[in-house]
């Protein structure tokens, strides 16, 4: 039967049919899985990177300084943690994505070691916001709030802290302490800047205590025995804080450092 429709009409119908056929073929060849947007899955590396920044405790009052933590991620070195200018020479042992925790094993070539746990605490009011909770090997805890992103100067400070720790480990820096040779206290004071500062400040107060108070010598002996009896960094850190609190309550000594 002869098609009596005008030629322009037949051409338009043919063109429409070709377009419909091409569309159907394209839909048939599309892989719905491949076309879905990529969803970034959580990983141990991204968890560590999310901790980057300058963090601070919020426990002290008045003019007392807060404790500052710098968390820096390095592609080669991994996560680096600096506490009040002292590098926590540690290695990440475990990252628990389900519970939002990271286990950092802090080591020392000359002293004891402990595992420090870093937990991300979600903010119930702000999506994707969180704070940090640090738990030391002896059970002491610190709550940290975010201060700001790391600056170039902050990153330089992290490298300087690591370099200073390496220098002390090489024995090139003198160690001034009255702790018995080979004791845990001596190892920590000589191997970690944090404990070196605490010990120097405490010994300065020891001298003032012995010079000014009749019972000062006995108090110094008692404090020294407790410090030397500690076998872990957490124990020694707590002993310094406890004796500083005792001095503040019972004696009028000069302020040296913050032991908390």
């Amino acid at each position: 039967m002869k098609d009596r429709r005008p030629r322009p009409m037949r051409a338009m119908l043919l063109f429409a049919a070709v377009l419909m056929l091409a569309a159907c073929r394209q839909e048939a060849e599309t892989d719905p899985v491949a076309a879905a947007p990529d969803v970034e899955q959580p990983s141990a590396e991204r968890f560590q990177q999310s901790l980057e920044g300058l963090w601070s405790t919020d426990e002290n009052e008045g003019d007392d300084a807060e404790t500052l933590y710098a968390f820096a991620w390095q592609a080669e070195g991994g996560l680096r943690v600096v506490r009040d200018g002292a590098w926590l020479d540690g290695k990440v042992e475990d990252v628990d994505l389900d519970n939002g925790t990271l286990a950092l094993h802090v080591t020392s070539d000359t002293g004891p070691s402990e595992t420090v746990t870093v937990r991300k605490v979600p903010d119930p009011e702000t999506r994707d916001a969180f704070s940090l909770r640090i738990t030391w090997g002896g059970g002491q805890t610190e709550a940290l709030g975010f201060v700001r992103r790391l600056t170039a100067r902050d990153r330089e400070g992290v490298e300087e802290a690591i370099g200073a720790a390496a220098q002390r480990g090489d024995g090139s820096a003198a160690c001034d302490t009255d702790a018995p040779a080979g004791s845990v206290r001596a190892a920590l004071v000589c191997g970690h800047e944090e404990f070196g500062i605490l010990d120097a400040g405490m010994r300065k107060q020891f001298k003032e205590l012995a010079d000014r108070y009749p019972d000062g010598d006995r108090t110094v002996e008692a404090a020294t025995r407790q410090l030397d009896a500690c076998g872990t960094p957490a124990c020694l850190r707590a002993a310094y804080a406890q004796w500083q609190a005792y001095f503040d309550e019972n004696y009028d000594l000069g302020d040296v450092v913050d032991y908390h």
Side-chain angles (χ1 to χ4, degrees), residues 122-145:
D123 188 327
E125 299 181 356
T126 305
R127 182 179 179 183
D128 297 331
F130 59 90
S131 58
L132 297 180
R133 182 177 178 84
I134 307 292
T135 303
W136 294 87
Q140 294 83 0
T141 62
E142 291 178 296
L144 306 183

Side-chain angles (χ1 to χ4, degrees), residues 150-160:
L150 293 181
T151 65
R153 189 180 299 276
D154 291 329
R155 296 185 185 279
E156 291 176 0
V158 171
E159 294 299 326
E160 290 175 359

Side-chain angles (χ1 to χ4, degrees), residues 1-2 19 22 36 46 51 59 80 91 105 124 127 129 143-144 161 188 195 224 258:
M1 182 176 180
K2 187 175 182 180
L19 290 179
R46 278 191 285 273
L51 301 178
E59 300 175 351
R80 304 289 192 175
K91 178 181 179 182
H105 186 63
R127 182 179 179 183
L144 306 183
L188 289 172
F195 291 100
T224 301
D258 176 22

Side-chain angles (χ1 to χ4, degrees), residues 37-117:
D38 292 335
V39 178
E40 189 176 37
Q41 297 298 320
S43 69
E45 181 174 318
R46 278 191 285 273
F47 182 93
Q48 296 176 63
Q49 290 174 330
S50 71
L51 301 178
E52 265 216 343
L54 190 67
W55 300 78
S56 172
T57 58
D58 190 18
E59 300 175 351
N60 298 316
E61 299 178 355
D63 295 332
D64 291 338
E66 298 174 358
T67 302
L68 291 177
Y69 281 82
F71 287 79
W73 166 261
Q74 298 176 349
E76 297 182 357
L79 186 67
R80 304 289 192 175
V81 184
V82 172
R83 182 181 189 269
D84 274 351
W87 177 42
L88 298 182
D89 185 3
K91 178 181 179 182
V92 175
E93 287 185 315
D94 179 64
V95 176
D96 184 348
L97 297 176
D98 293 333
N99 294 300
T101 62
L102 177 146
L104 182 70
H105 186 63
V106 180
T107 61
S108 171
D109 293 336
T110 57
S113 60
E114 62 180 315
T115 297
V116 181
T117 304

